[in-house]
Amino acid sequence: MPVARPESQDPRVIAHVDMDCFYVQVEQRRNPDLRGVPTAVVQYNSWKGGGLIAVGYEARNFGVKRSMRGDEAKRVCPDIQLVQVPVARGKADLNLYRSAGSEVVAILSTKGKCERASIDEVYLDLTDAAKSMLLESPPEMLDSIPEEALKSHVLGLSSDENKGEDDVRKWLCQPDADYQDKLLACGTIIVAELRVRVLQETKFTCSAGIAHNKMLAKLASPMHKPAQQTVVPATSVPDLLASLPVKKMKQLGGKLGSSLLDDLGVNTVGDLLKFSEQKLQDLYGINTGTWLWKIARGINGDEVEDRLLPKSHGCGKTFPGPMALKTTSSVKQWLNQLCEELSERIQSDLDQNKRIAQTLTLHARAFKEDELDPLKKFPSKSCPLRYGTSKIQEDAMHLFESGLSDFLNSKNLGWGISSLAVGASKIVDIPNGTTSILKYLTEKRTSCNSSDCSDALAGEPDHATSLISQKDADTKSYKEREVPFESEVEENPKTKAQRGSASDSKGLFDRDANVKGTILRYFSGGCSSNQRSTSEVETNQIEEEKISSSTASITSSHPNLNLNQNKNALSENWIYNIEEIDPSVVDELPLEIQREIRGWIHPSKRINTAKRGSTIAHYFSPARK
Ligand code: TTP
Ligand code: CA
Ligand code: CA
């Protein structure tokens, strides 16, 4: 739900960094023979050559698109190399890509607050680093401006290619610029240097948008891909938004965008300027109305969260067409696999980062023979998460049974499952200096039943509850792993190191002085912004929109459901909080489930009490009223 947060009056420098054709780059690093060769990464199933999930820029030049399957890609680009995504437990194993993303995050987070926004992108708040640079070594005082910074695309500057770098140099060094632009100029240099470091240290290229807020930075990062960066000075915002189709904004990809288009004749974000805040509130409710009024002016107060680790973990698998699961035993078999992976991931999060996940969630897509209610969705279910693979498997199966019973209205009908996913969320840090909850757990868990535990827990932090309020103590995962005690429960040293150097903006130029040429040159295909057609850029964005626009069909699995709990393990009602879902994890779930979850996260689907114009009433589906 878009909510307009007040934008700080203080100037900010925000960057959005997105890796170029990420999975392809990871595969090209693993197998350098693929460098410079048209390449795509395909899904693990082999039907029609597998679905493409990442397409390299060389292949895009031949017209290969992510929407294609391998066979079609071979037709338009016979030399294309199709690399299968790694497989584990019969499903895609994204660990390779996740950890490659972490390598990049470790570098990008050295200059300021860093929010990992998906498997291949981050937001950075570089305000402090830019302020320090402006004080200590402003652009006009530098002996030389890093070449990568001079390659920046500054919106609103002349587009004369011959004068491009000169114009950028002048813009970066203009003595009479206002403070915000001066900070932005420093941010431009800092981001260029970070991107060069990313390339040197990981061999990956990335693209970036640099602006004074998250929304504008995100809009700018895909404008010149691959391996380039785009800067949005405040003065260029009206022109940018005047020509920006509403559907290009992620939150406007769905019903809200359609309503703006169909009901108000609003084609571009700038067209919204015609409407007063009051009018937009009357039409769409107070929050959404204000949000729309603000985005029309490029105002966005969202903060960059200080978060290098995901807010949740999820894994899932689809069972298309005839592969649909039709018996509880086949569901159990696959759920067991998914839970095994989930259990490993939360256990390693606990071991490495000292974080505990508290909520287990099951999502599924299902169909049934009952044609009377074909749109009914399989309700997502959650419960307190108990550590230990077998416990997670057991609880997930209970959640499934409970969901299936609701889905079938307790009728005895035939059914099929076309996708399954499990998630672990509500992840909290184990507080530093706690005389270890973990120690407490290892000592107490074997001996207490649930009521004893709740008494014993009085005064303990909330987050221990879900682990301890179990009837039969599953001590395995803790006891066998030599849980660290107090002195070991501290910040991850890597994170600590990253934080420590956050304000170091000096000395970058020395470090990067050896880098000859620009990142762009690194691309053997030499695919510059000019060579890349607009339609390719659009295609990429449309892909994202497809996901958010498809949220229109979601009607039943509302995240704030008060869920019935299964009888064995869970006695209390449990509220699932949408804020706990990490969009970066959603990307990793099966597409069908992504759509459903994005339906909760993105568009303005809040219960809305404001009076609405009659033609717009259909924007809010009845299920949400
Ligand atoms: P994107 O950032 O959307 O795309 P990309 O990095 O491949 O290409 P671009 O240069 O245009 O940014 O997605 C990042 C990775 O996430 C992508 O390499 C593969 C994976 N992914 C999927 O598995 N399924 C999807 O539907 C999408 C959109 C991405
Ligand atoms: Ca990307
Ligand atoms: Ca991305």
Side-chain angles (χ1 to χ4, degrees):
M1 167 193 59
V3 175
R5 298 197 166 76
E7 187 169 47
S8 145
Q9 294 307 306
D10 298 331
R12 294 190 295 163
V13 179
I14 309 292
H16 179 259
V17 182
D18 182 88
M19 306 309 293
D20 303 315
C21 55
F22 188 46
Y23 290 10
V24 170
Q25 286 206 81
V26 175
E27 296 299 342
Q28 286 175 328
R29 186 175 72 169
R30 276 216 294 182
N31 176 6
D33 289 349
L34 296 174
R35 285 211 184 277
V37 174
T39 305
V41 174
V42 292
Q43 277 286 18
Y44 49 94
N45 86 58
S46 58
W47 184 62
K48 289 189 180 173
L52 269 53
I53 52 175
V55 181
Y57 282 82
E58 294 87 354
R60 292 186 204 192
N61 287 341
F62 286 87
V64 178
K65 302 212 164 26
R66 184 157 30 209
S67 52
M68 294 176 175
R69 299 199 73 87
D71 292 352
E72 197 182 352
K74 281 263 181 208
R75 270 199 300 281
V76 297
C77 178
D79 292 333
I80 194 168
Q81 297 294 309
L82 299 176
V83 185
Q84 261 223 346
V85 79
V87 176
R89 297 188 183 93
K91 61 178 282 297
D93 177 7
L94 304 181
N95 278 332
L96 179 69
Y97 309 121
R98 259 185 226 114
S99 54
S102 302
E103 286 176 48
V104 176
V105 170
I107 296 164
L108 295 177
S109 61
T110 54
K111 288 287 154 191
K113 222 196 264 180
C114 175
E115 174 183 331
R116 193 167 184 174
S118 86
I119 198 160
D120 82 328
E121 59 199 80
V122 303
Y123 288 99
L124 305 174
D125 187 334
L126 300 169
T127 312
D128 290 345
K131 282 181 179 168
S132 309
M133 183 176 172
L134 194 57
L135 277 176
E136 293 160 20
S137 50
E140 64 270 26
M141 307 284 282
L142 297 175
D143 293 340
S144 71
I145 304 280
E147 201 176 341
E148 195 54 40
L150 295 176
K151 298 278 177 201
S152 303
H153 300 260
V154 181
L155 297 186
L157 281 196
S158 89
S159 54
D160 181 340
E161 278 299 308
N162 300 320
K163 296 200 301 157
E165 289 195 17
D166 285 345
D167 286 348
V168 173
R169 187 191 310 276
K170 274 188 215 145
W171 182 82
L172 290 169
C173 299
Q174 53 184 333
D176 52 350
D178 65 21
Y179 186 56
Q180 171 68 64
D181 270 4
K182 285 189 169 187
L183 285 183
L184 217 49
C186 294
T188 302
I189 293 172
I190 294 166
V191 172
E193 289 167 340
L194 281 171
R195 291 179 40 247
V196 170
R197 265 188 68 197
V198 167
L199 178 58
Q200 287 176 317
E201 294 175 29
T202 68
K203 298 194 166 57
F204 298 141
T205 68
C206 55
S207 301
I210 303 137
H212 62 269
N213 67 39
K214 281 173 96 171
M215 167 191 139
L216 295 168
K218 166 95 178 162
L219 282 175
S221 67
M223 280 181 180
H224 298 94
K225 260 183 166 277
Q228 296 169 82
Q229 60 183 46
T230 306
V231 189
V232 190
T235 47
S236 71
V237 173
D239 280 352
L240 167 67
L241 298 179
S243 58
L244 183 76
V246 283
K247 290 268 177 179
K248 288 252 163 131
M249 288 224 32
K250 207 164 180 177
Q251 298 92 329
L252 297 179
K255 281 190 176 181
L256 178 54
S258 302
S259 169
L260 292 174
L261 221 65
D262 302 340
D263 301 321
L264 302 185
V266 164
N267 292 303
T268 70
V269 175
D271 289 347
L272 282 167
L273 287 170
K274 289 185 272 200
F275 300 91
S276 67
E277 185 173 5
Q278 181 65 53
K279 177 76 182 168
L280 292 169
Q281 287 183 342
D282 289 348
L283 294 171
Y284 294 106
I286 290 174
N287 282 331
T288 305
T290 298
W291 180 80
L292 287 169
W293 187 86
K294 288 193 167 178
I295 60 155
R297 288 153 185 81
I299 301 171
N300 172 246
D302 292 350
E303 296 277 341
V304 174
E305 286 176 38
D306 201 354
R307 181 164 64 77
L308 306 187
L309 299 167
K311 260 202 263 188
S312 54
H313 298 283
C315 52
K317 180 169 170 69
T318 47
F319 308 94
M323 291 158 75
L325 308 178
K326 296 192 170 160
T327 60
T328 34
S329 67
S330 59
V331 168
K332 185 165 193 222
Q333 185 203 330
W334 278 108
L335 262 188
N336 283 350
Q337 305 267 30
L338 296 173
C339 290
E340 205 176 299
E341 180 186 329
L342 188 71
S343 178
E344 269 174 24
R345 282 170 54 196
I346 58 173
Q347 192 66 52
S348 114
D349 199 353
L350 174 65
D351 295 342
Q352 290 171 15
N353 308 312
K354 317 293 175 245
R355 304 196 311 160
I356 301 176
Q358 298 180 98
T359 302
L360 174 70
T361 306
L362 175 118
H363 307 284
R365 298 284 290 181
F367 56 88
K368 58 184 162 177
E369 287 166 351
D370 180 4
E371 286 302 316
L372 294 175
D373 194 6
L375 290 179
K376 182 162 180 185
K377 300 278 189 287
F378 191 103
S380 294
K381 295 276 178 182
S382 298
C383 68
L385 190 151
R386 304 187 296 157
Y387 273 63
T389 305
S390 58
K391 295 292 170 200
I392 294 174
Q393 290 169 332
E394 190 183 314
D395 290 347
M397 196 60 204
H398 285 307
L399 293 177
F400 173 78
E401 283 161 356
S402 161
L404 185 65
S405 161
D406 289 1
F407 179 64
L408 299 176
N409 277 337
S410 304
K411 288 186 203 146
N412 196 11
L413 297 166
W415 51 269
I417 295 292
S418 58
S419 71
L420 269 180
V422 284
S425 61
K426 210 170 181 189
I427 300 180
V428 291
D429 290 331
I430 300 171
N432 275 349
T434 309
T435 310
S436 189
I437 290 164
L438 298 176
K439 180 178 174 187
Y440 178 84
L441 286 169
T442 52
E443 286 171 350
K444 303 275 182 182
R445 290 170 98 214
T446 43
S447 62
C448 65
N449 63 31
S450 62
S451 58
D452 291 338
C453 284
S454 7
D455 290 347
L457 266 177
E460 284 287 347
D462 267 348
H463 65 252
T465 314
S466 64
L467 287 167
I468 302 174
S469 62
Q470 50 187 291
K471 284 185 181 149
D472 42 349
D474 167 37
T475 55
K476 194 173 160 204
S477 59
Y478 281 104
K479 292 190 97 176
E480 287 182 1
R481 284 174 182 265
E482 294 183 350
V483 174
F485 287 174
E486 184 178 20
S487 61
E488 291 160 286
V489 181
E490 59 178 22
E491 190 183 354
N492 182 352
K494 199 168 158 200
T495 319
K496 213 181 210 171
Q498 290 161 8
R499 292 265 70 79
S501 53
S503 59
D504 166 27
S505 70
K506 272 186 108 181
L508 272 167
F509 310 124
D510 299 339
R511 230 185 354 261
D512 293 335
N514 297 333
V515 181
K516 299 279 189 292
T518 68
I519 293 181
L520 189 53
R521 254 182 246 154
Y522 180 80
F523 260 77
S524 55
C527 182
S528 73
S529 59
N530 301 327
Q531 287 163 305
R532 191 179 184 218
S533 69
T534 321
S535 66
E536 282 177 283
V537 176
E538 281 168 4
T539 308
N540 186 34
Q541 287 167 338
I542 287 164
E543 280 302 318
E544 290 188 355
E545 283 156 19
K546 267 196 222 151
I547 295 176
S548 50
S549 62
S550 63
T551 58
S553 63
I554 310 305
T555 51
S556 71
S557 308
H558 195 281
N560 290 324
L561 284 177
N562 217 340
L563 300 162
N564 296 326
Q565 296 306 302
N566 70 66
K567 34 196 179 310
N568 292 348
L570 322 155
S571 55
E572 66 199 286
N573 275 354
W574 193 261
I575 308 283
Y576 191 57
N577 183 357
I578 195 66
E579 296 296 322
E580 290 154 19
I581 299 179
D582 183 351
S584 69
V585 170
V586 177
D587 287 345
E588 299 173 22
L589 299 176
L591 205 58
E592 295 172 291
I593 289 175
Q594 285 188 24
R595 288 176 178 152
E596 179 152 341
I597 297 175
R598 281 184 210 287
W600 304 340
I601 298 176
H602 283 305
S604 166
K605 288 177 173 131
R606 214 176 76 95
I607 294 166
N608 197 318
T609 50
K611 194 171 112 254
R612 287 175 219 124
S614 57
T615 57
I616 291 171
H618 66 265
Y619 164 64
F620 294 94
S621 66
R624 292 205 176 76
K625 286 181 181 171

